[in-house]
């Protein structure tokens, strides 16, 4: 039986990496697909750990040899998920977690019919801006330590504003996702995320459900998009997106 493909998307700065790193630590038999990208490494990132950092020519070669399950251009750089991660996770009977953008999520949903998708939202635009700035400051400190005063900086107004604008466009696509996770309090978000994975595993197993299983399903169900609409409306308003977008199903 093939494993579950879990897609997680979020506007940059929502806390998706923080959440997925923790999820990988606490959930067994869940593999993480390391994407290929043409963007330069940020802060302490290492090739083969956060991403495989490759050149545009190498990326184009991978496209032409049909090595990607999906790929997209994000912030002017190419990002792609190699098919081999899905092959290898399936061979081991493991589930696979993909941290990809809304364009990639749509492609995977088309190719892998029963993929499960989760969209992470920040509690508000203001909080997203705070998180983006905080992270950019931390990345800049590290860059300066490594490269000196000539370091390429990330906490520039242009970069922050561009990411906020892109966030609004990405959030417009929330309706194509199965679950919505509002990343307010981190511990709670991690619990919900873990429950979603466990619930999807339970749905595919034939085991008789225990009271604990029922409780896990209930937590996951509350994060289903339909259930989350009132909370989503409030968040959309902070991004000037009230009268939310057309559901693209
Ligand atoms: P993303 O992967 O979505 O771009 P990160 O995981 O890098 O975002 O998080 C962006 C910043 O927000 C980081 O500084 C991180 O520590 C912080 N952060 C993440 N989750 C929360 C949370 N629930 N509450 C407050 N800060 C958070
Ligand atoms: P960052 O550069 O901040 O790490 O990521 C920028 C965006 O690219 C995020 O939305 C992230 O989810 C997305 N991304 C990362 N890897 C992939 C990938 O393999 N495919 C697609 N489509 N998007 C990706």
């Amino acid at each position: 039986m093939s494993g579950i493909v879990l897609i997680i998307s979020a506007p940059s700065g929502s806390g998706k990496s923080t959440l997925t790193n923790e999820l990988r630590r606490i959930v067994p038999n869940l593999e993480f697909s390391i994407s290929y990208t043409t963007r330069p490494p940020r802060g302490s990132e290492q090739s083969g750990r956060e991403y495989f950092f490759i050149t545009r020519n190498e990326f184009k070669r991978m496209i032409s040899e049909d090595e990607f399950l999906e790929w997209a251009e994000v912030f002017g750089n190419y990002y792609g998920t190699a098919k081999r991660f899905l092959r290898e996770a399936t061979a081991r009977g493991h589930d696979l977690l993909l941290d990809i953008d809304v364009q990639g999520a749509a492609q995977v949903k088309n190719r892998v019919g029963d993929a499960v998708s989760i969209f992470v939202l920040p509690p508000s635009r203001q909080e997203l801006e705070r998180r983006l700035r905080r992270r950019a400051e931390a990345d800049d400190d590290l860059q300066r330590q490594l490269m000196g005063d000539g370091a390429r900086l990330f906490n520039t107004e242009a970069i922050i504003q561009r990411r906020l604008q892109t966030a609004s466009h990405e959030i417009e696509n929330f309706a194509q996702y199965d679950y919505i996770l509002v990343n307010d309090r981190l511990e709670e978000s991690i619990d919900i995320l873990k429950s979603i994975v466990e619930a999807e595993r339970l749905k595919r197993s034939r085991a008789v459900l225990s009271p604990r299983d029922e409780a896990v399903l209930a937590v996951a169900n509350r994060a289903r998009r339909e259930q989350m609409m009132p909370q989503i409306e409030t968040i959309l308003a902070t991004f000037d997106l009230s009268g939310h977008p057309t559901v693209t199903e």
Side-chain angles (χ1 to χ4, degrees), residues 195 210-220 222:
S195 298
S210 68
R212 185 196 169 269
D213 294 341
E214 299 282 4
V216 165
L217 285 170
V219 172
R222 283 199 290 276

Side-chain angles (χ1 to χ4, degrees), residues 171-189:
I171 290 172
E172 282 178 5
N173 292 285
F174 79 87
Q176 63 168 284
Y177 289 79
D178 303 313
Y179 293 95
I180 305 288
L181 178 60
V182 177
N183 180 23
D184 193 351
R185 277 177 299 157
L186 192 58
E187 289 305 313
E188 199 180 311
S189 301

Side-chain angles (χ1 to χ4, degrees), residues 26-83:
I26 61 177
V27 174
N29 301 337
L30 180 65
E31 299 190 15
F32 183 73
S33 159
I34 302 172
S35 295
Y36 286 77
T37 183
T38 60
R39 88 150 160 73
R42 192 165 62 203
S44 60
E45 287 177 336
Q46 282 173 24
S47 200
R49 196 176 64 184
E50 288 83 2
Y51 285 104
F52 290 104
F53 296 99
I54 60 172
T55 63
R56 281 184 171 248
N57 278 340
E58 284 167 327
F59 201 96
K60 285 180 187 155
R61 182 198 59 76
M62 288 183 73
I63 296 174
S64 67
E65 291 179 13
D66 198 25
E67 291 188 28
F68 289 121
L69 177 65
E70 64 74 36
W71 64 272
E73 192 178 344
V74 188
F75 301 127
N77 291 301
Y78 292 116
Y79 293 79
T81 305
K83 285 181 182 168

Side-chain angles (χ1 to χ4, degrees), residues 75-123:
F75 301 127
N77 291 301
Y78 292 116
Y79 293 79
T81 305
K83 285 181 182 168
R84 75 178 167 88
F85 278 95
L86 182 54
R87 250 191 335 259
E88 289 169 8
T90 304
R92 285 188 278 265
H94 290 173
D95 300 326
L96 184 69
L97 180 65
L98 309 181
D99 167 350
I100 57 179
D101 85 324
V102 295
Q103 308 167 74
Q107 294 175 48
V108 174
K109 273 276 192 183
N110 276 335
R111 287 190 164 197
V112 184
D114 60 355
V116 175
S117 58
I118 306 164
F119 194 81
V120 179
L121 277 175

Side-chain angles (χ1 to χ4, degrees), residues 10-21 42 99 120 123 127-128 130-136 138-139 163 182-187 189:
S12 181
S14 307
K16 186 180 46 178
S17 314
T18 311
L19 291 169
T20 49
N21 286 340
R42 192 165 62 203
D99 167 350
V120 179
E127 177 60 18
L128 179 63
R130 265 194 294 277
R131 289 183 193 173
L132 278 171
R133 284 192 196 284
R134 213 180 307 136
R135 187 184 62 186
D139 285 346
R163 294 212 160 198
V182 177
N183 180 23
D184 193 351
R185 277 177 299 157
L186 192 58
E187 289 305 313
S189 301

